[in-house]
Amino acid sequence: MHCVGSAGNASSSTRPRKEKRLTCVLSAADDTKHCAGVNCLAVSKSTGPAGCDYLFTGSRDGTLKRWAFSEDAATCSATFESHVDWVNDAVLVGASTLVSCSSDTTLKTWNCLSDGTCTKTLRQHSDYVTCLASAEKNSNVVASGGLGGEVFIWDIEAALAPLSKSNDAMEDECPNDVNGCGNALPVTNLRTISSSNNISIHATQPQGYAPFAAKGHKESVYALAMNDSGNLLVSGGTEKVVRVWDPRTGSKTMKLRGHTDNIRALLLDSTGRFCLSGSSDSMIRLWDLGQQRCVHSYAVHTDSVWALASTPTFSHVYSGGRDLSLYLTDLSTRESILLCSKEHPILQLALHDDSIWVATTDSSVHRWPAEGCSPQKVFQRGGSFLAGNLSFSRARASMEGSTPVPVYKEPIYTITGIPAIVQHEILNNRRHVLTKDTSGCVKLWEIIRGAVVEDYGEISFDEKKEELFEMVSIPAWFTVDTRLGSLSIHLDTSQCFSAEMYSADLVIAGKPEDDKVNLARETLKGLLAHWLAKRKQRLGTQSSANGNIQSMKDISTRTLSHSRFEVDGSAESDTVIYPPFEFSSVFPPSIITEGSHGGLWRKKITDLDGTEDEKYFPWWVLDCVLNNRLPPRENTKCSFYLHPCEGSAVQILTQGKLSAPCILRIHKVANYVVEKMVLDKPLESVDGTFAPGLAGVTPQNSSAGGDASLRSGLRPWQRLKPSVEILCNNQVLSPDMSLATVRAYIWKKSEDLVLNYRVLQGR
């Protein structure tokens, strides 16, 4: 976890926002595999004879992975988890630094040889960060571009350098990691470079490191490239032009026009003289920056070009994109050949010796033969064609049936991923979610413990959804999305504590069957069980060492005293994690949230070390888990009238409108009627609450505060089959229905519920 200060955009932290949420990202399979499309690749070559080559992959699942590989195998040796949205690009800088960018608007630096340690989070962009570029011979320079039209040039060494104590104080003592070690990220003073290339400094920003802002793009930036020495930068995006910059100053040097659609990929040769661009207009263009013009156009693809990779001598280019195909093109002779074609659009390419790694919208990564050292060998196989100058020439050839035959049918090696979830449905019981992945497999997840409970295989999603339909009504206490390829469960304090169930329905052994269980509270306890154990261990150690230590409850009470809350009386001080809410430690979920400092963070629940406090967690999460207090909830009671059926000779005395928990079952309403019939008068307790036999039903004007009767059990005679039926809208109700279900599916009106009763025949 990394709670760090922001580089720039400091004012954004003061704008009013809604209450912070907690998100749980579920995992039910091997964590060493990606579960969404792979957006980026980076290859690290070993420097010694005993060294190991590494492949780094960044995915739409929000993680990066390091793969150690030999000729015929690849093993995931580390997962880098801290981004909270898609990882869009990654570059290697120096001997041990990996820089990544994400749709969460941040850049992150990592020790690429570690077990996944994030060393810094850089917050400067105002929108998704889409691309990075680095200089091979200048390990300090990295450029970043994004959808906000911003291009920043970073000095990584300066960005990672510790701040002085005076600047540290400005960061509000926000540590770089959960252990409190490391340095706060500098709040940068943003240098803005105007269109006239004059540099102006915003004096209102705190003093500290400032990346250059290459200002000139008016629209989104999708591609960047830098030459080896780091003195030339090119950028492209939705403006359809290639802009050329001096990254040392951030000044523009030229603008190249020719493409008719978005520019999605860029390459520079080592000297910085030639530039290759790939566009959504399906064209590849070769630019001579010295002459400031396009010298060649290559009509190779039939759709958008999204990825480019060149041979070391810049004599040949590998290209891939939306048409699912990987081509090799000789830049001098214009000869092209189709290397392979598979089922998914190609997002990025990385040459590795005589092979090439291909990343696609699928979660798997493929290694294909490429003859990168001697590309002419591929053309000797035959089947090449001459790339045209016009974009429609390849499209026309494709329509005429002259599509090239791929040289290679299967990859050398595949790093398999987990099929991404692409469809989901929250079931009415609000505990299960039905999902379908890219392979067509349908699975049933239990949310309260984050596990797959049924794998139905490749069946009809809609038919299974209809089969699993239950006529029950439970408040929507969570929301779901599958943007990261897996289930992300969002808990928002405005609604997450609204759902309750009886312990009997959850089959919780050792707990009174009529105890109410708040689903969100127990789920939070299960998610943070490891954190709670670590925290108790740390507090115990510190207490024995210091003799006295302020408890988290004291901290929460002090810092959160302004907030409204209510005590969950039914849960008392219960800290037991019940089996229905136990999360797996083998495939632990991750949580994404933020506290009072530093922005969003992501970490596996088993990696929490107990030091996290209100700086890392939302106040309402700590108040719930530590202090047994819940934020204000919507009314969990249901008002209703109870009348005899028309023509019934049996009548009981009711006291006007009644009120009961929404989860109350109809058989308890029937018990209430039976007891009214059997007894001369209803038993009432001192405070006005009906006796235990009445199962939580209270008069609307009663001052009773709850349904303590539910926890007292039923009398033996009440366990017999009720001798009355309860009806609504002339429909006999099932004894297992709840009042909420009746109101939602039978009553279907906004006004108070009306129930009728009648004696069963022969009883």
Side-chain angles (χ1 to χ4, degrees):
M1 178 198 311
H2 304 278
C3 181
V4 298
S6 297
N9 294 335
S11 62
S12 64
S13 61
T14 61
R15 67 178 185 268
R17 292 186 295 179
K18 63 180 182 179
E19 204 67 71
K20 298 176 177 67
R21 68 167 31 169
L22 183 139
T23 296
C24 171
V25 183
L26 302 184
S27 173
D30 192 351
D31 185 49
T32 64
K33 297 179 179 180
H34 285 302
C35 63
V38 178
N39 281 341
C40 56
L41 304 166
V43 175
S44 173
K45 297 282 292 180
S46 62
T47 56
C52 178
D53 290 355
Y54 291 114
L55 173 70
F56 295 88
T57 56
S59 170
R60 295 177 177 182
D61 63 15
T63 69
L64 298 103
K65 296 186 185 296
R66 183 184 68 221
W67 307 87
F69 51 81
S70 58
E71 288 297 325
D72 56 354
T75 305
C76 180
S77 55
T79 295
F80 302 86
E81 184 173 13
S82 183
H83 283 297
V84 300
D85 207 336
W86 290 10
V87 177
N88 293 322
D89 205 357
V91 293
L92 289 162
V93 179
S96 61
T97 301
L98 178 70
V99 182
S100 61
C101 69
S102 167
S103 296
D104 63 14
T105 76
T106 70
L107 280 73
K108 290 183 183 286
T109 62
W110 315 78
N111 180 345
C112 68
L113 302 179
S114 71
D115 58 355
T117 304
C118 178
T119 54
K120 192 71 72 173
T121 299
L122 308 175
R123 303 178 189 273
Q124 189 75 63
H125 286 267
S126 62
D127 207 333
Y128 293 2
V129 191
T130 55
C131 51
L132 298 173
S134 62
E136 187 172 329
K137 295 180 181 178
N138 187 340
S139 60
N140 285 336
V141 181
V142 170
S144 60
L147 298 190
E150 302 150 325
V151 175
F152 295 112
I153 298 119
W154 303 82
D155 183 326
I156 295 300
E157 184 177 348
L160 296 179
L163 278 181
S164 65
K165 290 185 179 179
S166 60
N167 283 336
D168 260 344
M170 293 180 182
E171 289 303 306
D172 202 13
E173 299 178 352
C174 184
N176 190 48
D177 56 40
V178 295
N179 297 316
C181 60
N183 300 290
L185 185 71
V187 174
T188 64
N189 101 32
L190 176 62
R191 300 183 186 178
T192 305
I193 301 173
S194 67
S195 57
S196 60
N197 298 336
N198 295 323
I199 300 178
S200 61
I201 299 179
H202 290 245
T204 58
Q205 294 287 350
Q207 193 175 15
Y209 168 72
F212 285 115
K215 190 174 181 181
H217 278 283
K218 299 179 179 62
E219 299 177 18
S220 300
V221 177
Y222 282 119
L224 293 172
M226 196 179 294
N227 67 336
D228 285 359
S229 59
N231 58 15
L232 196 66
L233 173 71
V234 292
S235 62
T238 56
E239 296 174 79
K240 310 169 190 176
V241 298
V242 177
R243 295 182 184 271
V244 185
W245 313 83
D246 184 343
R248 297 166 295 187
T249 62
S251 59
K252 292 184 293 185
T253 59
M254 69 184 79
K255 183 164 58 175
L256 305 172
R257 301 181 183 276
H259 284 294
T260 59
D261 207 336
N262 301 342
I263 295 172
R264 300 298 301 267
L266 290 168
L267 286 179
L268 276 176
D269 74 336
S270 58
T271 65
R273 178 182 175 183
F274 292 104
C275 172
L276 276 168
S277 59
S279 168
S280 295
D281 62 14
S282 79
M283 295 295 292
I284 301 170
R285 291 183 180 271
L286 178 64
W287 308 84
D288 187 323
L289 301 187
Q291 300 180 30
Q292 299 190 21
R293 69 184 185 90
C294 176
V295 292
H296 286 295
S297 297
Y298 306 91
V300 175
H301 292 267
T302 59
D303 209 330
S304 301
V305 180
W306 289 348
L308 297 173
S310 72
T311 55
T313 60
F314 216 70
S315 61
H316 295 74
V317 64
Y318 299 86
S319 59
R322 193 173 179 180
D323 61 3
L324 323 179
S325 301
L326 174 64
Y327 287 93
L328 172 63
T329 302
D330 187 321
L331 295 178
S332 58
T333 66
R334 310 180 60 85
E335 191 176 9
S336 292
I337 192 167
L338 176 61
L339 295 181
C340 62
S341 185
K342 297 298 281 187
E343 298 86 12
H344 304 283
I346 295 172
L347 299 176
Q348 201 166 65
L349 305 169
L351 278 170
H352 182 218
D353 296 333
D354 267 355
S355 62
I356 188 168
W357 290 97
V358 178
T360 70
T361 55
D362 185 42
S363 56
S364 299
V365 180
H366 304 284
R367 188 178 188 179
W368 293 86
E371 299 292 352
C373 299
S374 304
Q376 286 298 336
K377 292 181 180 179
V378 180
F379 291 100
Q380 293 172 6
R381 295 171 174 261
S384 63
F385 61 92
L386 195 63
N389 288 319
L390 303 176
S391 60
F392 65 81
S393 60
R394 282 287 298 117
R396 183 174 58 191
S398 176
M399 288 187 294
E400 292 172 354
S402 58
T403 303
V405 177
V407 175
Y408 306 110
K409 303 296 184 185
E410 297 297 331
I412 302 171
Y413 184 78
T414 296
I415 300 175
T416 57
I418 301 168
I421 296 174
V422 292
Q423 190 175 3
H424 71 276
E425 181 76 21
I426 302 174
L427 301 188
N428 285 3
N429 62 22
R430 302 294 174 183
R431 285 188 297 138
H432 294 103
V433 174
L434 192 68
T435 64
K436 181 179 180 180
D437 60 33
T438 53
S439 69
C441 286
V442 176
K443 297 178 182 178
L444 185 67
W445 294 72
E446 187 165 26
I447 298 306
I448 59 175
R449 59 190 182 98
V452 173
V453 292
E454 291 287 349
D455 186 344
Y456 300 110
E458 296 184 34
I459 62 172
S460 169
F461 180 85
D462 292 333
E463 289 180 5
K464 178 54 67 173
K465 181 177 68 174
E466 292 179 9
E467 178 185 327
L468 294 175
F469 174 80
E470 296 178 70
M471 188 183 289
V472 294
S473 178
I474 295 177
W477 60 281
F478 64 87
T479 56
V480 175
D481 74 56
T482 56
R483 176 175 170 81
L484 301 179
S486 53
L487 282 181
S488 293
I489 311 300
H490 306 296
L491 299 179
D492 293 286
T493 182
S494 60
Q495 63 177 15
C496 72
F497 293 108
S498 60
E500 295 176 325
M501 293 183 67
Y502 288 120
S503 60
D505 297 325
L506 293 166
V507 196
I508 299 178
K511 191 172 176 67
E513 63 179 19
D514 283 340
D515 269 9
K516 287 189 293 184
V517 177
N518 189 287
L519 297 183
R521 179 183 186 273
E522 298 304 320
T523 299
L524 285 172
K525 283 170 52 183
L527 281 171
L528 298 181
H530 178 85
W531 172 79
L532 279 168
K534 287 288 187 180
R535 176 183 167 274
K536 289 178 181 177
Q537 181 181 343
R538 293 178 69 95
L539 291 180
T541 303
Q542 293 178 26
S543 295
S544 60
N546 302 330
N548 184 29
I549 185 169
Q550 187 180 33
S551 70
M552 176 65 78
K553 186 166 185 175
D554 295 334
I555 294 173
S556 297
T557 302
R558 184 187 74 248
T559 59
L560 309 175
S561 59
H562 65 281
S563 63
R564 298 171 58 210
F565 62 86
E566 58 186 68
V567 176
D568 185 2
S570 64
E572 301 165 350
S573 58
D574 189 2
T575 58
V576 176
I577 309 299
Y578 298 109
F581 300 91
E582 290 179 345
F583 287 81
S584 170
S585 59
V586 179
F587 303 125
S590 301
I591 56 174
I592 297 174
T593 192
E594 62 179 319
S596 60
H597 294 66
L600 288 164
W601 54 268
R602 170 177 172 170
K603 203 167 190 180
K604 291 208 172 294
I605 59 173
T606 50
D607 291 337
L608 300 172
D609 65 3
T611 62
E612 302 84 0
D613 54 17
E614 65 268 18
K615 292 182 180 179
Y616 299 93
F617 285 112
W619 69 267
W620 58 270
V621 172
L622 296 180
D623 226 15
C624 168
V625 174
L626 294 175
N627 303 330
N628 191 37
R629 299 191 297 205
L630 306 183
R633 293 175 286 173
E634 295 181 2
N635 187 17
T636 58
K637 297 282 188 177
C638 176
S639 300
F640 65 99
Y641 294 95
L642 188 59
H643 300 311
C645 287
E646 186 176 351
S648 174
V650 179
Q651 294 195 13
I652 60 173
L653 177 64
T654 60
Q655 303 183 23
K657 188 188 298 185
L658 301 174
S659 177
C662 292
I663 61 175
L664 190 80
R665 303 294 185 187
I666 291 300
H667 73 81
K668 298 202 173 189
V669 178
N671 287 341
Y672 169 73
V673 174
V674 170
E675 185 160 332
K676 283 280 195 174
M677 294 169 57
V678 172
L679 301 179
D680 292 333
K681 62 179 180 179
L683 294 178
E684 294 185 9
S685 59
V686 176
D687 66 355
T689 304
F690 280 108
L694 306 183
V697 182
T698 61
Q700 183 71 13
N701 59 0
S702 169
S703 62
D707 56 335
S709 59
L710 297 178
R711 295 188 291 275
S712 303
L714 299 175
R715 299 176 183 181
W717 62 268
Q718 287 178 297
R719 297 182 182 275
L720 300 175
K721 184 178 180 180
S723 56
V724 299
E725 287 181 329
I726 306 298
L727 298 85
C728 179
N729 281 345
N730 296 319
Q731 181 175 333
V732 177
L733 303 179
S734 166
D736 291 330
M737 275 189 176
S738 68
L739 291 177
T741 301
V742 174
R743 185 169 59 186
Y745 291 97
I746 310 299
W747 182 242
K748 299 179 182 179
K749 300 176 185 177
S750 58
E751 56 260 28
D752 289 329
L753 180 65
V754 176
L755 300 180
N756 303 105
Y757 60 88
R758 69 186 178 195
V759 177
L760 287 172
Q761 296 270 338
R763 298 288 292 182

